[in-house]
Amino acid sequence: MSKPAEGVREGVREGASGGQGPSVRGEGTWVTAVGQVLGNFVVSLVVGDALQSTLDGARSWRVWNWPPFFVVLGLGGAALLRTPEGPGDQVLWPYLMIGTAVLIALVRVVGIRGRAGAQALASALSVALAVGGTVWVEQVRGHGEVDVAGLTTVTPSRPLRDGETLVVGVDGGPVRTHLRLGLRVEDADPDMQSCTPETRLALRLGGGPSTVDDVRSGRPVDLRLGGVRDGIRVTVTVHTDAGCRMNVFVDDAVLHG
């Protein structure tokens, strides 16, 4: 009589263990699914859906896309560090070329797929644009415009009468072939006179015979330097009405060419 009872108890134990297995597995799967949903929600809040999609697609990145990307970044950084002082518009196009190169290289890195030939062409184009932009920056560095107004001196620094002269000196700055000089003339006694509209300047470079006459206040004059010069000297003669006293200032001085 004991064997049937033992069989019943064993059946009950087996039935109990068999019934709990699926329940435990189902509960674990449900908890995992909820965790994944909450995790994706938190990531989307922190980094945004677009970045999350990019990170999810990281497995499609290609190792051979990274060398062109790093080359483009290196060239762009070098061009940025070697950009000379001067008007920003002279490096606008080189910067646009380098920016386009970085964008194309980045698109290649994130694994946007296409034909193999088109992918190779995109990588080559990004490198070529970066090289071109860097070379352009070097060209501007060697021949572009450089503001040297802060390096100028005016001697003597006093009001001048008709026929008197002063010397504008430029000491320092890079070697260039031309100097664009802009001078401003103002009345020394504005309450007593109004001579600025009729005042003219004559500019002579380095004491030579070449003279630029009839220069009005604020009008820039381009002077050919004629070679390498350590210190640039421009003699300025004031032509104004009798009795007028005029102050002359350097408004703009740019080396270029």
Side-chain angles (χ1 to χ4, degrees), residues 66-81:
W66 286 98
F69 179 71
F70 287 128
V71 169
V72 169
L73 283 186
L75 291 172
L80 184 63
L81 292 175

Side-chain angles (χ1 to χ4, degrees), residues 143-154 166-183 203-207 210 212 215 219-236 250-257:
H143 302 281
E145 296 186 351
V146 180
D147 187 358
V148 291
L151 303 177
T152 59
T153 58
V154 177
L166 59 84
V167 176
V168 176
V170 181
D171 295 303
V175 176
R176 293 293 188 270
T177 60
H178 291 77
L179 170 67
R180 187 170 65 247
L181 185 63
L183 300 175
L203 278 61
R204 185 175 71 253
L205 179 64
S210 179
V212 181
V215 179
R219 172 192 152 194
V221 177
D222 207 36
L223 303 172
R224 181 178 176 83
L225 301 179
V228 178
R229 293 173 181 269
D230 251 352
I232 301 171
R233 297 293 180 266
V234 180
T235 302
V236 180
V250 176
D251 206 27
D252 187 30
V254 175
L255 291 172
H256 67 97

Side-chain angles (χ1 to χ4, degrees), residues 126-245:
S126 65
V127 174
L129 286 173
V131 170
T134 304
V135 171
W136 198 333
V137 169
E138 289 299 318
Q139 179 71 13
V140 172
R141 185 180 179 87
H143 302 281
E145 296 186 351
V146 180
D147 187 358
V148 291
L151 303 177
T152 59
T153 58
V154 177
T155 307
S157 57
R158 62 173 177 78
L160 302 179
R161 299 182 181 276
D162 181 48
E164 293 186 325
T165 63
L166 59 84
V167 176
V168 176
V170 181
D171 295 303
V175 176
R176 293 293 188 270
T177 60
H178 291 77
L179 170 67
R180 187 170 65 247
L181 185 63
L183 300 175
R184 185 176 77 256
V185 180
E186 293 181 355
D187 292 295
D189 302 309
D191 295 334
M192 303 293 295
Q193 64 185 46
S194 180
C195 304
T196 299
E198 301 302 325
T199 300
R200 301 291 186 270
L201 302 176
L203 278 61
R204 185 175 71 253
L205 179 64
S210 179
T211 303
V212 181
D213 295 316
D214 199 28
V215 179
R216 293 175 176 268
S217 174
R219 172 192 152 194
V221 177
D222 207 36
L223 303 172
R224 181 178 176 83
L225 301 179
V228 178
R229 293 173 181 269
D230 251 352
I232 301 171
R233 297 293 180 266
V234 180
T235 302
V236 180
T237 303
V238 176
H239 297 290
T240 186
D241 294 337
C244 294
R245 300 170 61 248

